[in-house]
PDB file of all heavy atoms in Angstrom:
ATOM      1  N   GLY A  11      89.420  15.423 -50.013  1.00  0.00           N
ATOM      2  CA  GLY A  11      88.245  14.883 -50.714  1.00  0.00           C
ATOM      3  C   GLY A  11      87.103  15.842 -50.885  1.00  0.00           C
ATOM      4  O   GLY A  11      87.205  16.835 -51.617  1.00  0.00           O
ATOM      5  N   ARG A  12      86.001  15.542 -50.169  1.00  0.00           N
ATOM      6  CA  ARG A  12      84.738  16.248 -50.323  1.00  0.00           C
ATOM      7  C   ARG A  12      84.881  17.756 -50.107  1.00  0.00           C
ATOM      8  O   ARG A  12      84.310  18.558 -50.838  1.00  0.00           O
ATOM      9  CB  ARG A  12      83.789  15.640 -49.283  1.00  0.00           C
ATOM     10  CG  ARG A  12      82.413  16.226 -49.198  1.00  0.00           C
ATOM     11  CD  ARG A  12      81.603  15.422 -48.181  1.00  0.00           C
ATOM     12  NE  ARG A  12      82.217  15.428 -46.852  1.00  0.00           N
ATOM     13  CZ  ARG A  12      81.837  14.655 -45.845  1.00  0.00           C
ATOM     14  NH1 ARG A  12      80.840  13.808 -46.005  1.00  0.00           N
ATOM     15  NH2 ARG A  12      82.434  14.726 -44.671  1.00  0.00           N
ATOM     16  N   GLY A  13      85.564  18.119 -49.031  1.00  0.00           N
ATOM     17  CA  GLY A  13      85.874  19.536 -48.825  1.00  0.00           C
ATOM     18  C   GLY A  13      84.746  20.389 -48.289  1.00  0.00           C
ATOM     19  O   GLY A  13      84.711  21.587 -48.561  1.00  0.00           O
ATOM     20  N   SER A  14      83.848  19.793 -47.484  1.00  0.00           N
ATOM     21  CA  SER A  14      82.780  20.645 -46.962  1.00  0.00           C
ATOM     22  C   SER A  14      83.298  21.605 -45.885  1.00  0.00           C
ATOM     23  O   SER A  14      82.832  22.742 -45.785  1.00  0.00           O
ATOM     24  CB  SER A  14      81.606  19.818 -46.441  1.00  0.00           C
ATOM     25  OG  SER A  14      81.947  19.155 -45.246  1.00  0.00           O
ATOM     26  N   ASN A  15      84.269  21.174 -45.095  1.00  0.00           N
ATOM     27  CA  ASN A  15      84.873  22.114 -44.141  1.00  0.00           C
ATOM     28  C   ASN A  15      85.663  23.190 -44.873  1.00  0.00           C
ATOM     29  O   ASN A  15      85.632  24.367 -44.483  1.00  0.00           O
ATOM     30  CB  ASN A  15      85.792  21.371 -43.158  1.00  0.00           C
ATOM     31  CG  ASN A  15      84.997  20.800 -41.995  1.00  0.00           C
ATOM     32  OD1 ASN A  15      84.465  21.541 -41.177  1.00  0.00           O
ATOM     33  ND2 ASN A  15      84.907  19.480 -41.936  1.00  0.00           N
ATOM     34  N   ALA A  16      86.350  22.778 -45.927  1.00  0.00           N
ATOM     35  CA  ALA A  16      87.080  23.775 -46.727  1.00  0.00           C
ATOM     36  C   ALA A  16      86.096  24.806 -47.279  1.00  0.00           C
ATOM     37  O   ALA A  16      86.370  26.005 -47.298  1.00  0.00           O
ATOM     38  CB  ALA A  16      87.836  23.084 -47.870  1.00  0.00           C
ATOM     39  N   ALA A  87      91.717  20.213 -43.530  1.00  0.00           N
ATOM     40  CA  ALA A  87      90.264  20.065 -43.587  1.00  0.00           C
ATOM     41  C   ALA A  87      89.970  18.728 -44.295  1.00  0.00           C
ATOM     42  O   ALA A  87      89.782  18.706 -45.511  1.00  0.00           O
ATOM     43  CB  ALA A  87      89.641  21.245 -44.330  1.00  0.00           C
ATOM     44  N   GLY A  88      89.987  17.658 -43.519  1.00  0.00           N
ATOM     45  CA  GLY A  88      89.812  16.355 -44.136  1.00  0.00           C
ATOM     46  C   GLY A  88      91.036  15.973 -44.947  1.00  0.00           C
ATOM     47  O   GLY A  88      90.924  15.421 -46.032  1.00  0.00           O
ATOM     48  N   TYR A  89      92.211  16.288 -44.410  1.00  0.00           N
ATOM     49  CA  TYR A  89      93.456  15.928 -45.097  1.00  0.00           C
ATOM     50  C   TYR A  89      93.875  14.563 -44.549  1.00  0.00           C
ATOM     51  O   TYR A  89      94.197  14.435 -43.363  1.00  0.00           O
ATOM     52  CB  TYR A  89      94.539  16.976 -44.829  1.00  0.00           C
ATOM     53  CG  TYR A  89      95.804  16.771 -45.645  1.00  0.00           C
ATOM     54  CD1 TYR A  89      95.733  16.819 -47.042  1.00  0.00           C
ATOM     55  CD2 TYR A  89      97.018  16.534 -45.042  1.00  0.00           C
ATOM     56  CE1 TYR A  89      96.880  16.625 -47.799  1.00  0.00           C
ATOM     57  CE2 TYR A  89      98.173  16.349 -45.803  1.00  0.00           C
ATOM     58  CZ  TYR A  89      98.081  16.406 -47.183  1.00  0.00           C
ATOM     59  OH  TYR A  89      99.209  16.208 -47.951  1.00  0.00           O
ATOM     60  N   MET A  90      93.836  13.554 -45.410  1.00  0.00           N
ATOM     61  CA  MET A  90      93.933  12.169 -44.942  1.00  0.00           C
ATOM     62  C   MET A  90      95.365  11.657 -44.892  1.00  0.00           C
ATOM     63  O   MET A  90      95.619  10.486 -45.205  1.00  0.00           O
ATOM     64  CB  MET A  90      93.062  11.260 -45.830  1.00  0.00           C
ATOM     65  CG  MET A  90      91.602  11.655 -45.861  1.00  0.00           C
ATOM     66  SD  MET A  90      90.878  11.761 -44.208  1.00  0.00           S
ATOM     67  CE  MET A  90      90.790  10.019 -43.824  1.00  0.00           C
ATOM     68  N   ASN A 107      93.728  21.669 -37.295  1.00  0.00           N
ATOM     69  CA  ASN A 107      92.977  20.549 -37.850  1.00  0.00           C
ATOM     70  C   ASN A 107      91.603  20.529 -37.196  1.00  0.00           C
ATOM     71  O   ASN A 107      91.432  21.036 -36.090  1.00  0.00           O
ATOM     72  CB  ASN A 107      93.705  19.229 -37.563  1.00  0.00           C
ATOM     73  CG  ASN A 107      92.985  18.031 -38.143  1.00  0.00           C
ATOM     74  OD1 ASN A 107      92.500  18.083 -39.282  1.00  0.00           O
ATOM     75  ND2 ASN A 107      92.866  16.955 -37.394  1.00  0.00           N
ATOM     76  N   ILE A 108      90.647  19.905 -37.882  1.00  0.00           N
ATOM     77  CA  ILE A 108      89.341  19.663 -37.256  1.00  0.00           C
ATOM     78  C   ILE A 108      89.102  18.180 -37.179  1.00  0.00           C
ATOM     79  O   ILE A 108      89.412  17.436 -38.135  1.00  0.00           O
ATOM     80  CB  ILE A 108      88.193  20.397 -37.983  1.00  0.00           C
ATOM     81  CG1 ILE A 108      86.896  20.218 -37.176  1.00  0.00           C
ATOM     82  CG2 ILE A 108      88.023  19.935 -39.433  1.00  0.00           C
ATOM     83  CD1 ILE A 108      85.866  21.290 -37.432  1.00  0.00           C
ATOM     84  N   HIS A 109      88.557  17.768 -36.036  1.00  0.00           N
ATOM     85  CA  HIS A 109      88.326  16.338 -35.795  1.00  0.00           C
ATOM     86  C   HIS A 109      86.899  16.171 -35.288  1.00  0.00           C
ATOM     87  O   HIS A 109      86.468  16.903 -34.383  1.00  0.00           O
ATOM     88  CB  HIS A 109      89.325  15.826 -34.759  1.00  0.00           C
ATOM     89  CG  HIS A 109      89.140  14.374 -34.478  1.00  0.00           C
ATOM     90  ND1 HIS A 109      89.520  13.392 -35.366  1.00  0.00           N
ATOM     91  CD2 HIS A 109      88.572  13.740 -33.431  1.00  0.00           C
ATOM     92  CE1 HIS A 109      89.209  12.213 -34.861  1.00  0.00           C
ATOM     93  NE2 HIS A 109      88.641  12.390 -33.686  1.00  0.00           N
ATOM     94  N   PRO A 110      86.166  15.189 -35.835  1.00  0.00           N
ATOM     95  CA  PRO A 110      84.750  15.077 -35.484  1.00  0.00           C
ATOM     96  C   PRO A 110      84.501  14.312 -34.178  1.00  0.00           C
ATOM     97  O   PRO A 110      83.764  13.310 -34.153  1.00  0.00           O
ATOM     98  CB  PRO A 110      84.154  14.329 -36.683  1.00  0.00           C
ATOM     99  CG  PRO A 110      85.270  13.489 -37.191  1.00  0.00           C
ATOM    100  CD  PRO A 110      86.539  14.252 -36.902  1.00  0.00           C
ATOM    101  N   LEU A 171      78.960  17.183 -38.706  1.00  0.00           N
ATOM    102  CA  LEU A 171      79.582  17.945 -39.793  1.00  0.00           C
ATOM    103  C   LEU A 171      78.867  19.294 -39.980  1.00  0.00           C
ATOM    104  O   LEU A 171      79.505  20.354 -39.975  1.00  0.00           O
ATOM    105  CB  LEU A 171      79.530  17.115 -41.080  1.00  0.00           C
ATOM    106  CG  LEU A 171      80.303  17.640 -42.268  1.00  0.00           C
ATOM    107  CD1 LEU A 171      81.807  17.547 -42.040  1.00  0.00           C
ATOM    108  CD2 LEU A 171      79.937  16.852 -43.548  1.00  0.00           C
ATOM    109  N   GLU A 175      80.918  21.176 -37.038  1.00  0.00           N
ATOM    110  CA  GLU A 175      82.199  21.439 -37.694  1.00  0.00           C
ATOM    111  C   GLU A 175      82.179  22.723 -38.522  1.00  0.00           C
ATOM    112  O   GLU A 175      83.070  23.566 -38.422  1.00  0.00           O
ATOM    113  CB  GLU A 175      82.591  20.253 -38.580  1.00  0.00           C
ATOM    114  CG  GLU A 175      82.850  18.975 -37.802  1.00  0.00           C
ATOM    115  CD  GLU A 175      83.402  17.870 -38.655  1.00  0.00           C
ATOM    116  OE1 GLU A 175      84.359  18.116 -39.412  1.00  0.00           O
ATOM    117  OE2 GLU A 175      82.876  16.751 -38.575  1.00  0.00           O
ATOM    118  N   HIS A 176      81.150  22.856 -39.357  1.00  0.00           N
ATOM    119  CA  HIS A 176      81.123  24.013 -40.263  1.00  0.00           C
ATOM    120  C   HIS A 176      80.958  25.324 -39.500  1.00  0.00           C
ATOM    121  O   HIS A 176      81.267  26.393 -40.043  1.00  0.00           O
ATOM    122  CB  HIS A 176      79.987  23.867 -41.279  1.00  0.00           C
ATOM    123  CG  HIS A 176      80.173  22.683 -42.188  1.00  0.00           C
ATOM    124  ND1 HIS A 176      79.203  22.220 -43.050  1.00  0.00           N
ATOM    125  CD2 HIS A 176      81.241  21.857 -42.342  1.00  0.00           C
ATOM    126  CE1 HIS A 176      79.651  21.162 -43.708  1.00  0.00           C
ATOM    127  NE2 HIS A 176      80.883  20.913 -43.296  1.00  0.00           N
TER     128      HIS A 176
HETATM  129  C1  GRF B 301      85.452  15.895 -41.391  1.00  0.00           C
HETATM  130  O1  GRF B 301      84.593  15.130 -40.596  1.00  0.00           O
HETATM  131  C2  GRF B 301      86.633  16.350 -40.589  1.00  0.00           C
HETATM  132  O2  GRF B 301      86.352  16.570 -39.250  1.00  0.00           O
HETATM  133  C3  GRF B 301      87.563  15.168 -40.712  1.00  0.00           C
HETATM  134  O3  GRF B 301      87.401  14.706 -42.032  1.00  0.00           O
HETATM  135  C4  GRF B 301      86.088  15.048 -42.495  1.00  0.00           C
HETATM  136  C5  GRF B 301      86.268  15.825 -43.765  1.00  0.00           C
HETATM  137  O4  GRF B 301      85.057  16.173 -44.362  1.00  0.00           O
HETATM  138  N1  GRF B 301      88.919  15.523 -40.364  1.00  0.00           N
HETATM  139  P1  GRF B 301      84.999  17.319 -45.458  1.00  0.00           P
HETATM  140  O5  GRF B 301      85.963  16.900 -46.564  1.00  0.00           O
HETATM  141  O6  GRF B 301      85.449  18.587 -44.810  1.00  0.00           O
HETATM  142  O7  GRF B 301      83.601  17.364 -45.937  1.00  0.00           O
END
Side-chain angles (χ1 to χ4, degrees):
R12 178 177 59 191
S14 71
N15 276 293
Y89 188 62
M90 302 305 287
N107 181 43
I108 186 157
H109 180 74
L171 189 69
E175 295 188 48
H176 296 170

